[in-house]
């Protein structure tokens, strides 16, 4: 059997794999609690669902322009102007089947074989694989918890070579929830202008930043920086629309054209009904977003406080998104049921098997002394999960 070396070398998404396992266990009737996938637990707001029903009833059910309708592109431009102070025209926007698709388009549009992409880590599981799929070379730049999970500019600069074409700035970050301080983004942007490096700014969690903070968008620094930046965003996280599959990019018009051309052959337009619903999300009332954000913030505060009161584990306060990286270094080397906790994989496996709690091993994000909890779940589940964590730790020898 012949198989593509490229495709067969790609690992499955660990976050989605854990989510499938959790959902399968739940379907079997097990009392399992899921902190795996980063997916808002809220339903999609009513007015967005109504817009989709309207689209079906009014036959907005045909092919649209491949890179999205003029209306959704205008809605995206309005969003950028209103929320980020960034001026784009419809020709700068490509609407795709989720931000994952947007990221694949972006990398495909700028990379040639062997080109390097700097990925600050801990990083989301999909970035390195996406770079490989686009024939690029992922260059991981690690950072520690003590550094606030953000690599210093010196570390980033040291990773630049004459093959560096892009850097991925995920702000706020999945899996750490940390936001780059504005000064750090200015230093990164200056380096990118100096070396002519594209910035892929994944801002999918931008609306989920807490304690009165506002996310700073790197493309706002200057026209030069904006021209080098491909902003990636989407409706999945902000509007609890993960299943609808709408993401988008804003970039210079030349790149947008290249991405749109590829999309016209690969997938054609994103779903026409979902596009219509996404317009309602972007231009309609934003109160539901604020309500979800307030709930996430309350959960974050509660979870961080409780976790730091449990002996053997700890975490730093994340700025945004809905993830917490729990430090398990004190538990490494301990034993449970004859299995030694050698790292985050063993921890996550035994925690799921014994206590029926699903978390994602940090190893998938580049740190083996952490596991990721998503707090996009109810307070009740959060307390249940943490009670079970206490029980798990008490069984370790
Ligand atoms: N970027 C990051 C950092 C994410 O966590 C996700 C979550 N799936 C995505 C992009 C993609 O989101 P979607 O494809 O659902 O728009
Ligand atoms: N991005 C989310 C996560 O990290 C959803 C799953 C995925 O797309 O990877 O859990």
């Amino acid at each position: 059997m012949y198989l593509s070396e490229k495709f067969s070398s790609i690992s499955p998404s660990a976050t989605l794999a854990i989510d499938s396992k959790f959902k399968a266990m739940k379907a079997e009737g097990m009392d399992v609690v899921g902190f795996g996938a980063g997916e808002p637990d809220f339903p999609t707001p009513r007015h967005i669902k109504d817009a989709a029903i309207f689209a079906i009833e009014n036959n907005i059910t045909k092919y649209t322009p491949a890179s999205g309708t003029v209306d959704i592109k205008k809605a995206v431009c309005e969003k950028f102007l209103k929320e980020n102070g960034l001026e784009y025209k419809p020709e700068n926007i490509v609407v795709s089947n989720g931000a994952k698709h947007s990221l694949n388009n972006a990398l495909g549009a700028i990379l040639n074989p062997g080109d390097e992409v700097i990925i600050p880590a801990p990083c989301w599981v999909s970035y390195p694989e996406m770079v490989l799929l686009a024939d690029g070379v992922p260059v991981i730049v690690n950072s520690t918890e003590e550094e606030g999970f953000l690599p210093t500019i010196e570390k980033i600069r040291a990773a630049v070579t004459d093959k560096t074409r892009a850097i991925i700035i995920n702000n706020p970050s999945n899996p750490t929830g940390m936001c780059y301080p504005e000064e750090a983004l200015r230093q990164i942007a200056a380096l990118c202008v100096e070396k002519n490096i594209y910035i892929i700014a994944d801002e999918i969690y931008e609306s989920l930043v807490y304690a009165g903070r506002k996310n700073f968008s790197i493309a706002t620094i200057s026209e030069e920086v904006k021209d080098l930046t491909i902003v990636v965003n989407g409706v999945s996280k902000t509007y609890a629309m993960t299943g609808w599959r709408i993401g988008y990019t804003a970039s210079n018009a030349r790149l947008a054209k290249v991405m749109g051309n590829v999309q016209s052959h690969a997938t054609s337009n994103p779903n026409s009904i979902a596009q219509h619903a996404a317009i309602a999300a972007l231009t309609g009332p934003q109160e539901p977003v604020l309500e979800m954000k307030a709930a996430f913030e309350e959960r974050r505060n509660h979870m961080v406080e409780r976790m730091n009161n449990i002996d053997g584990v700890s975490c730093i306060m994340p700025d945004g998104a809905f993830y917490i990286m729990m430090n398990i270094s004190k538990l490494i080397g301990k034993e449970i049921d004859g299995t030694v906790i050698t790292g985050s994989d063993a921890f996550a496996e035994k925690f799921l098997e014994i206590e029926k709690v699903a978390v994602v091993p940090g190893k998938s994000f580049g740190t083996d002394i952490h596991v990721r909890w998503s707090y996009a779940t109810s307070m009740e589940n959060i307390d249940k999960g943490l009670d079970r964590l206490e029980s798990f730790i008490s069984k370790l020898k």
Side-chain angles (χ1 to χ4, degrees):
M1 186 175 72
Y2 293 102
L3 269 182
S4 141
E5 270 173 39
K6 183 162 90 179
F7 272 36
S8 48
S9 72
I10 299 294
S11 356
S13 159
T15 46
L16 292 181
I18 282 154
D19 191 48
S20 307
K21 199 165 173 185
F22 158 72
K23 284 177 178 153
M25 286 169 82
K26 212 172 161 144
E28 277 175 34
M30 286 186 197
D31 175 25
V32 53
V33 203
F35 297 88
E39 174 167 48
D41 53 320
F42 300 103
T44 302
R46 184 70 252 169
H47 72 281
I48 301 173
K49 295 198 268 200
D50 286 341
I53 293 165
F54 177 92
I56 294 172
E57 298 290 2
N58 289 276
N59 304 313
I60 305 178
T61 52
K62 303 286 163 76
Y63 290 136
T64 77
S67 57
T69 64
V70 174
D71 285 349
I72 194 168
K73 289 185 185 179
K74 282 189 181 155
V76 169
C77 292
E78 258 176 54
K79 176 254 167 240
F80 275 117
L81 192 59
K82 203 164 99 205
E83 281 171 22
N84 311 96
L86 284 168
E87 220 170 296
Y88 288 109
K89 297 201 179 82
E91 72 206 47
N92 302 112
I93 310 299
V94 175
V95 183
S96 305
N97 301 289
K100 238 179 212 177
H101 186 201
S102 305
L103 285 160
N104 279 299
N105 278 343
L107 290 163
I110 58 179
L111 298 183
N112 285 301
D115 285 348
E116 294 174 4
V117 178
I118 294 179
I119 309 177
C123 67
W124 180 39
V125 288
S126 291
Y127 292 141
E129 305 302 294
M130 285 172 172
V131 170
L132 291 171
L133 270 173
D135 293 328
V137 179
V139 176
I140 309 289
V141 179
N142 284 309
S143 66
T144 61
E145 190 174 324
E146 292 68 36
E147 291 168 328
F149 290 127
L150 300 169
T152 58
I153 187 70
E154 290 76 24
K155 279 191 184 173
I156 295 174
R157 184 177 276 279
V160 174
T161 72
D162 56 5
K163 288 197 167 155
T164 307
R165 291 291 167 269
I167 179 165
I168 301 181
I169 298 297
N170 180 206
N171 188 36
S173 153
N174 174 6
T176 67
M178 301 314 281
C179 289
Y180 288 82
E182 183 178 329
E183 187 46 32
L185 290 175
R186 288 189 182 278
Q187 290 172 334
I188 293 169
L191 175 67
C192 291
V193 170
E194 179 194 326
K195 306 279 187 185
N196 199 27
I197 296 170
Y198 281 113
I199 301 162
I200 299 183
D202 182 346
E203 297 180 352
I204 192 130
Y205 296 101
E206 74 166 348
S207 64
L208 301 176
V209 287
Y210 310 117
R213 186 181 178 129
K214 191 169 178 338
N215 206 43
F216 181 79
S217 188
I218 195 165
T220 59
I221 289 174
S222 69
E223 274 307 309
E224 237 178 336
V225 175
K226 184 180 164 202
D227 198 54
L228 279 176
T229 303
I230 307 176
V231 187
V232 177
N233 208 325
V235 295
S236 284
K237 318 285 175 177
T238 305
Y239 300 100
M241 290 177 71
T242 42
W244 299 72
R245 314 307 306 130
I246 295 289
Y248 52 84
T249 51
S251 66
N252 69 52
R254 225 179 128 202
L255 274 176
K257 184 133 191 36
V258 171
M259 292 189 276
N261 290 348
V262 170
Q263 189 162 298
S264 76
H265 293 292
T267 58
S268 295
N269 60 276
N271 179 301
S272 62
I273 301 154
Q275 284 191 66
H276 199 73
I279 296 174
L282 292 166
T283 61
Q286 301 298 304
E287 283 76 17
V289 177
L290 298 177
E291 280 163 28
M292 292 189 268
K293 178 177 144 171
F296 288 137
E297 182 162 4
E298 204 187 323
R299 296 168 184 181
R300 174 197 72 153
N301 295 347
H302 177 66
M303 202 162 174
V304 167
E305 199 191 331
R306 251 202 89 180
M307 202 172 267
N308 280 321
N309 279 321
I310 298 177
D311 262 355
V313 293
S314 64
C315 66
I316 58 171
M317 178 66 92
D319 301 313
F322 33 58
Y323 304 110
I324 289 177
M325 289 293 260
M326 181 175 79
N327 190 315
I328 56 160
S329 51
K330 285 191 186 150
L331 307 182
I332 289 173
K334 299 207 175 203
E335 211 183 295
I336 192 158
D337 273 5
T339 302
V340 178
I341 305 292
T342 47
S344 60
D345 279 342
F347 178 93
E349 199 184 315
K350 289 313 259 184
F351 195 29
L352 182 60
E353 186 190 310
I354 296 171
E355 303 289 346
K356 308 282 179 291
V357 179
V359 295
V360 186
K363 200 172 173 189
S364 324
F365 308 109
T367 164
D368 207 17
I369 57 163
H370 294 90
V371 295
R372 190 193 78 174
W373 294 65
S374 158
Y375 50 89
T377 186
S378 68
M379 268 306 191
E380 195 192 337
N381 278 345
I382 288 172
D383 276 322
K384 210 175 190 184
L386 292 170
D387 289 345
R388 292 183 186 189
L389 173 67
E390 285 180 312
S391 151
F392 185 72
I393 293 175
S394 73
K395 291 175 194 155
L396 291 171
K397 288 193 209 83

